Amino acid sequence: MAKKGNIIVGQSGGPTSVINSSLAGVYKTAKERGFHKVYGMLHGIQGFLDEQYVDLSTQIHSDMDIELLKRTPSAFLGSCRYKLPDIHENPEIYEKIFSILDKLNIEVFIYIGGNDSMDTIKKLSDYAIVKGHRQKFLGVPKTIDNDLALTDHTPGFGSAAKYIGASTKEIIRDAQGLTYDKAMVTVIEVMGRNAGWLTGATALAKTEECEGPDLIYLPEVAFDIEKFLKKVSDLLKKKVSVVVAVSEGIKLDDGRYVCELSGGANYVDAFGHKQLQGTASYLAGFLKHELGCKTRSVEFSTLQRSASHMASRVDINEAFMVGGAAVKAADEGDTGKMVVIDRVSDDPYMSAAGIYDVHKIANNEKTVPRNWLNKEGNFVTDDFINYIEPLIQGDYQPFMVNGLPQHLVLKK
Ligand code: F6P
């Protein structure tokens, strides 16, 4: 049998607490399947264009390192938000990419990322087919936003949802402990741009001993600030502590993001996405002004995507599985595809890796179905909770050193 060549893997887009578990899955499966070298691109395709890559065998020396990698948040290899130009706009860039791939004897190119990153897989696999290049291109899903089409959910989402559910419970406890005769409204801001999957996860806080958030606003429904004010003021007539969860991406009827009202969202990335931040702080200020009560805003910000100490076991294992499945698919001849997670059963929860044409996934956003929100659009339904609950189960204890989680860090 002919000896296999090499494989290269990159990480792209906003990191998650389990993106490195997918990297570990790619590495382990590539080694098991007899690929000669496994390279890692540093900072995704952007670094690759500058010939920044590393032989992963210089970084991962043992099964223990694999285990550590699975427990390490953020992108071990470094990430990027880099939009590959269309082929006709810049053919030289494609020639450069393929000349580096040939130089490194790469047979398989794997990219771990979200819908923008799948655009890179789509373009490179199309180019390879048209120009007759031998390399296979496979996508591995990743995003806390859970907004990728055709996969039941995305690796990274379950762990972020677990962190958000747990932290929301803690915020509610904290607020209730401090409110006696003076009212307080806490506004929590959750990531997720145009999809409210993560914001809805605050409803997980509603448990036997916790009443959960009072209101939840997702970007899927236009935000009416006057109705919101009335709702909060009505709640304050019944209770002293009100907790509201809002998505960073809630928009007014006229299309403006709420965070733009306070001058936020000035920064725009390569894909034209505005950086959304400041929604909770704006609304907390607004409520304080209108209602005269104490308010507080909490932004989970990057914590929600890097809290590997709260990672879900299901999520870490699935992230590992999809990494391995991509290598297997490419090795068996697939290209221009993304691995997906299929939900096989709910009780007991079981999932399996499937595969789809990346053209149907790239640049699409899967949002929360309207019927998973209540009529008023200010809370999620039981169907929503039933969908998420299996994804946050189990934990994956970090290796603690001197009281803190240990991580695997790239040695340059
Ligand atoms: O795509 C993942 C994500 O975490 C989004 O939820 C969020 O809007 C965005 O990334 C933030 O990106 P950055 O950290 O680059 O500002």
Side-chain angles (χ1 to χ4, degrees):
M1 209 165 84
K3 262 177 73 181
K4 280 185 192 161
N6 301 327
I7 186 165
I8 191 158
V9 52
Q11 298 172 308
S12 164
T16 76
S17 55
V18 306
I19 184 171
N20 295 322
S21 187
S22 292
L23 178 63
V26 168
Y27 181 77
K28 195 148 192 276
T29 310
K31 284 286 160 200
E32 283 165 4
R33 288 199 154 238
F35 282 95
H36 181 48
K37 279 190 178 173
V38 185
Y39 287 104
M41 305 168 214
L42 302 182
H43 295 280
I45 191 72
Q46 192 175 5
F48 180 78
L49 277 162
D50 292 332
E51 301 210 33
Q52 296 294 309
Y53 46 80
V54 67
D55 176 348
L56 277 171
S57 68
T58 63
Q59 308 288 323
I60 302 171
H61 303 287
S62 61
D63 285 350
M64 189 60 188
D65 283 346
I66 298 255
E67 283 306 312
L68 203 49
L69 188 57
K70 285 164 90 174
R71 290 161 169 83
T72 298
S74 179
F76 174 78
L77 294 169
S79 189
C80 67
R81 291 202 189 276
Y82 180 84
K83 190 173 170 65
L84 207 54
D86 284 341
I87 295 158
H88 62 87
E89 280 170 8
N90 192 341
E92 296 79 29
I93 230 173
Y94 288 83
E95 282 156 26
K96 181 166 185 192
I97 289 171
F98 280 85
S99 77
I100 305 173
L101 291 175
D102 285 338
K103 187 174 89 183
L104 294 176
N105 190 24
I106 300 296
E107 290 178 358
V108 174
F109 178 111
I110 298 207
Y111 217 34
I112 310 170
N115 34 32
D116 295 334
S117 315
M118 291 311 131
D119 180 66
T120 301
I121 287 293
K122 179 180 79 122
K123 286 173 173 159
L124 291 177
S125 59
D126 285 352
Y127 183 89
I129 290 168
V130 170
K131 299 281 180 183
H133 288 284
R134 66 193 170 120
Q135 287 86 5
K136 312 280 181 231
F137 294 85
L138 259 288
V140 173
K142 167 266 8 163
T143 169
I144 59 164
D145 298 345
N146 196 36
D147 59 355
L148 283 182
L150 299 171
T151 181
D152 179 78
H153 55 278
T154 55
F157 171 62
S159 297
K162 187 179 175 98
Y163 173 82
I164 286 165
S167 303
T168 303
K169 280 187 88 170
E170 289 159 357
I171 287 167
I172 293 169
R173 288 257 57 76
D174 181 275
Q176 286 182 344
L178 267 173
T179 39
Y180 175 53
D181 58 340
K182 295 222 174 11
M184 176 160 98
V185 184
T186 309
V187 188
I188 304 172
E189 177 175 323
V190 189
M191 279 184 170
R193 258 189 218 131
N194 303 319
W197 298 103
L198 279 178
T199 310
T202 55
L204 291 166
K206 196 168 172 191
T207 52
E208 219 173 286
E209 83 291 7
C210 179
E211 62 194 42
D214 297 286
L215 299 165
I216 302 180
Y217 292 97
L218 272 51
E220 281 80 356
V221 176
F223 186 72
D224 183 327
I225 202 155
E226 289 308 323
K227 274 196 192 154
F228 167 65
L229 177 61
K230 165 97 177 47
K231 199 82 206 165
V232 175
S233 119
D234 286 349
L235 280 165
L236 286 174
K237 288 178 192 139
K238 293 183 232 149
K239 56 197 302 212
V240 273
S241 169
V242 170
V243 175
V244 183
V246 297
S247 163
E248 61 177 5
I250 51 170
K251 281 182 185 163
L252 305 173
D253 226 0
D254 62 14
R256 272 177 307 158
Y257 287 108
V258 170
C259 64
E260 287 180 289
L261 302 178
S262 63
N266 292 328
Y267 180 81
V268 178
D269 73 14
F271 290 88
H273 305 306
K274 291 178 177 174
Q275 184 190 359
L276 306 173
Q277 195 167 24
T279 309
S281 138
Y282 173 78
L283 290 175
F286 168 75
L287 291 174
K288 188 185 292 174
H289 180 262
E290 296 296 319
L291 301 171
C293 64
K294 180 173 177 181
T295 63
R296 189 184 287 285
S297 64
V298 180
E299 260 185 50
F300 288 144
S301 188
T302 55
L303 295 171
Q304 63 205 296
R305 65 184 188 201
S306 54
S308 58
H309 61 285
M310 268 299 283
S312 134
R313 174 169 279 271
V314 167
D315 195 20
I316 291 216
N317 287 341
E318 287 182 339
F320 189 81
M321 169 181 82
V322 291
V327 175
K328 181 169 177 283
D331 197 19
E332 290 171 1
D334 274 318
T335 189
K337 308 232 167 109
M338 187 191 86
V339 175
V340 295
I341 301 175
D342 292 326
R343 188 178 296 231
V344 177
S345 75
D346 268 315
D347 190 14
Y349 172 74
M350 283 197 288
S351 65
I355 196 146
Y356 258 104
D357 182 349
V358 78
H359 295 79
K360 300 204 166 95
I361 296 169
N363 308 314
N364 274 330
E365 272 178 327
K366 181 180 76 180
T367 52
V368 177
R370 181 62 184 87
N371 60 352
W372 280 10
L373 287 160
N374 66 5
K375 214 159 147 244
E376 284 181 274
N378 60 22
F379 214 85
V380 292
T381 63
D382 287 348
D383 284 342
F384 183 95
I385 300 291
N386 295 339
Y387 163 79
I388 298 195
E389 250 171 9
L391 314 182
I392 66 162
Q393 299 307 313
D395 49 31
Y396 218 84
Q397 284 303 311
F399 298 133
M400 304 300 274
V401 175
N402 206 14
L404 295 177
Q406 197 190 11
H407 300 146
L408 190 75
V409 177
L410 192 84
K411 289 171 211 72
K412 290 192 181 158

